Amino acid sequence: MKVKIKLCILGHLPHLAEILKIEKWNSSIFEITGVNNLNFAGCSDGPNWEFLDNNIEKELPPNTDADILIVVTNVPLQDDYFVRRFSDNRICITYSGMSDILIFNDIPLKNLLLRLLYSATLVYKSQGNRIPLLSEIKFTHDDPRGCIFDMNGADKKDIVYSTNKPEICNSCVDSLINNHVTNNSVDEALIIETQKELKRINKGLYFKITDRIKKHPIITIVISSVVALSIDLISHFIYEYIK
Ligand SMILES: [Zn+2]
């Protein structure tokens, strides 16, 4: 059965239409059951204008009808994290400090949220259908591996490695399948299916082509010149033939 995930947009979110393209995402392991919008009731309380956990939790709506509630916002969160976990299977993700990195690297903004949807679904399954609090257990690793469980704590720019064709690294696969803490292991077939779906999280055709051009500029110029010359020659022959 698919995990039901509800989204809630908290406050003003730049590039909202781009991010909400996620609603069309087709997955066999989770489904997005709805998107709500909510305004902030209060202000930040951290020394650097961030929302500390107790404060942002007051802004989160209750999770009444979904397996997981993901609240998407654009304000800085506690300890400069981009994801924080709360009670009742609620998670808050912020695009603050992340949007610029993704846009600069031509990565669709929805990819960041997709990464969370997949990691949250696997955590939910591995923990006996619940999302533990941040203080209970850590699921991420500090070194970036292009894995959906990368921490990206030391350098947020490393997010680019896990938002373009991300994967679940071997060590995380092992932790999910052989969960010695709760004995609620994730089915291997679910991991295989997830790995397959993660490959679809990429830059999109346009930016894949521009990336290729940036990587091989000389070959691109040669191919373009040959194609242009060929078109010129073919049109010349056609003209000579029909005149
Ligand atoms: Zn990993």
Side-chain angles (χ1 to χ4, degrees):
M1 193 185 287
K2 290 185 187 182
V3 172
K4 291 179 170 45
I5 301 179
K6 196 162 190 177
L7 300 178
C8 175
I9 310 300
L10 178 60
H12 174 67
L13 195 58
H15 316 290
L16 180 61
E18 276 300 308
I19 293 165
L20 285 185
K21 282 182 182 170
I22 201 172
E23 285 183 278
K24 290 183 185 157
W25 188 262
N26 194 18
S27 169
S28 62
I29 71 161
F30 65 79
E31 62 178 311
I32 298 169
T33 55
V35 182
N36 284 349
N37 289 282
L38 213 61
N39 290 323
F40 274 98
C43 292
S44 66
D45 59 338
N48 297 307
W49 305 100
E50 74 273 33
F51 279 71
L52 302 180
D53 282 350
N54 286 341
N55 191 22
I56 197 86
E57 192 163 13
K58 289 182 210 154
E59 306 280 350
L60 307 184
N63 181 12
T64 52
D65 54 358
D67 296 323
I68 304 170
L69 173 71
I70 294 183
V71 177
V72 189
T73 190
N74 196 44
V75 297
L77 300 177
Q78 185 166 318
D79 297 333
D80 206 23
Y81 278 41
F82 67 95
V83 170
R84 305 288 293 181
R85 284 181 261 136
F86 296 94
S87 59
D88 300 324
N89 299 339
R90 294 177 300 169
I91 300 173
C92 186
I93 178 172
T94 184
Y95 272 85
S96 170
M98 308 305 283
S99 299
D100 290 348
I101 298 169
L102 296 169
I103 291 168
F104 183 78
N105 289 283
D106 302 326
I107 293 174
L109 294 175
K110 72 173 191 307
N111 290 15
L112 180 68
L113 189 51
L114 275 172
R115 188 193 115 147
L116 175 62
L117 262 60
Y118 279 100
S119 57
T121 300
L122 292 175
V123 165
Y124 179 81
K125 290 271 191 189
S126 72
Q127 300 299 308
N129 294 345
R130 69 180 283 265
I131 302 284
L133 292 173
L134 212 53
S135 52
E136 286 180 61
I137 185 170
K138 184 182 176 187
F139 296 100
T140 49
H141 37 73
D142 293 341
D143 57 318
R145 304 172 191 169
C147 170
I148 57 172
F149 292 101
D150 280 0
M151 178 68 193
N152 305 124
D155 190 349
K156 281 186 175 173
K157 289 200 283 298
D158 288 338
I159 193 67
V160 299
Y161 304 119
S162 54
T163 46
N164 180 31
K165 293 184 187 166
E167 58 175 16
I168 312 166
C169 72
N170 291 341
S171 139
C172 289
V173 168
D174 185 57
S175 305
L176 290 164
I177 292 177
N178 306 305
N179 186 345
H180 303 299
V181 182
T182 64
N183 291 323
N184 286 297
S185 63
V186 171
D187 189 26
E188 203 172 341
L190 183 71
I191 302 274
I192 293 169
E193 181 57 31
T194 305
Q195 296 277 40
K196 214 160 67 182
E197 292 189 16
L198 289 176
K199 287 195 175 75
R200 287 169 30 219
I201 302 178
N202 56 44
K203 288 188 164 190
L205 184 61
Y206 175 77
F207 287 117
K208 273 196 267 185
I209 292 170
T210 53
D211 268 5
R212 191 65 62 89
I213 291 170
K214 278 182 207 163
K215 229 183 257 178
H216 308 287
I218 304 294
I219 295 173
T220 307
I221 291 168
V222 170
I223 291 173
S224 310
S225 307
V226 169
V227 169
L229 198 63
S230 307
I231 291 171
D232 191 42
L233 281 171
I234 290 166
S235 11
H236 177 73
F237 283 128
I238 292 173
Y239 174 75
E240 288 297 324
Y241 181 74
I242 59 172
K243 78 174 179 182

